Amino acid sequence: MDKNVQGIEYMKAGNYEKAIQMFTEAIEDDPKDAVGYVNFANVLISVGEPQRAEQFLNRAIEIDENASAAYYSYGNLHFNQERYELAVKQYEKALAIGPESNDLHYMLGMCFVNLGKNELSLPYLQRSVELAESDNEARFQYGLALARCGVYEDCISQLQKVVEVDPEHADAFYNLGVAYAAHENNAEKALENFEKALSLQPYHALAGNGQKVMKQYLEELEK
């Protein structure tokens, strides 16, 4: 088996020592192949050694300036350190080279979410979902971004799909409650979703507050 493939399997299993061994051997066997350097950098990122990882990524790019995976990993390195603007630059380089992927669009979207640029996050999160319909976390984050931009109808549609796939997603039910309250002024539906969130997470503070507000509102209407 290819040593890079073996190393990735060890990484997935959490055996970083064996992964490092495989990637080291892959680099020694072919020091002009950027793949081994990128994979080695990914291990270093996983074990919290970003400075060493950066050295390997720089080497990978020196060997192949079109190594899309190197720019993607560089983006992850910056993202993990909350350097979102730098991460965006690296992810955009990876996207320009291609191929596009669900993960790449998702990470770009999340960079803009963390930068507070919600409208910029929308097309990337939307494309992430389009590329991987089964990625429920991407769909959830897309739903949240829609809500932040005031696009509540689409937000509700996306979050409903999230809870269809994962009926125990308490945060999705909470945010559905917020959307029903804010957009449709539907206190009954909002309360229903807040209570569903609380049934899944009894100490969900935000859902608890939403439940309290909706109950008070409905009581006032009955007077």
Side-chain angles (χ1 to χ4, degrees), residues 65-69 71 92-100:
E65 64 180 11
N66 290 315
S68 181
Y71 297 111
E92 286 179 338
K93 288 178 182 178
L95 188 59
I97 295 167
E100 65 174 348

Side-chain angles (χ1 to χ4, degrees), residues 163-164 166-177 188-204 207-208 210-211:
V163 297
E164 285 172 10
D166 182 5
E168 297 186 358
H169 201 307
D171 286 338
F173 281 111
Y174 162 71
N175 283 283
L176 271 170
E188 291 86 355
K189 199 72 175 174
L191 179 60
E192 176 187 326
N193 281 279
F194 290 141
E195 290 182 338
K196 181 63 178 177
L198 286 168
S199 73
L200 294 166
Q201 287 187 17
Y203 299 104
H204 197 300
Q211 178 195 48

Side-chain angles (χ1 to χ4, degrees), residues 90-127:
Q90 297 297 335
Y91 290 139
E92 286 179 338
K93 288 178 182 178
L95 188 59
I97 295 167
E100 65 174 348
S101 69
N102 150 259
D103 289 337
L104 180 50
H105 282 280
Y106 176 78
M107 294 306 296
L108 266 165
M110 292 309 296
C111 282
F112 288 119
V113 167
N114 282 290
L115 288 168
K117 298 178 180 180
N118 293 300
E119 290 186 359
L120 291 178
S121 76
L122 282 179
Y124 294 108
L125 293 172
Q126 180 180 6
R127 185 60 180 151

